[in-house]
Amino acid sequence: DFVIGVDGGCVLLEQLNQKPNLILGDFDSLKRLNEYKALWPHAEVKTFQTEKDFTDAELAFAESDALELDEV
């Protein structure tokens, strides 16, 4: 499975003991990004500007399309 952590959704991933392959968002909701980087050092991190044309969820769907994932 390829797991994408989206901004504040990383809190839920931690609670479910899931390890994301990718963490993305503008991180306006997630104040502990550095802690998550240390917790999941293998995860790629993609940071976006707060002012953007897409929501973090839309960016995650676009990323899953780019990666050609079978299921979202």
Side-chain angles (χ1 to χ4, degrees):
D1 291 344
F2 191 92
V3 178
I4 301 175
V6 182
D7 202 340
C10 290
V11 174
L12 180 60
L13 288 179
E14 181 183 25
Q15 292 170 350
L16 296 173
N17 200 30
Q18 294 290 314
K19 296 177 182 173
N21 303 89
L22 171 64
I23 302 169
L24 64 78
D26 57 19
F27 303 110
D28 61 337
S29 302
L30 185 64
K31 305 304 179 203
R32 299 172 40 209
L33 179 59
N34 287 331
E35 290 178 41
Y36 286 117
K37 285 181 180 179
L39 180 63
W40 303 312
H42 70 284
E44 179 182 1
V45 178
K46 291 191 176 183
T47 305
F48 297 88
Q49 296 294 324
T50 304
E51 297 298 321
K52 57 192 181 308
D53 294 331
F54 302 98
T55 66
D56 291 336
E58 290 172 319
L59 293 170
F61 283 117
E63 190 67 29
S64 67
D65 284 343
L67 293 168
E68 299 180 357
L69 300 178
D70 294 330
E71 294 181 15
V72 179

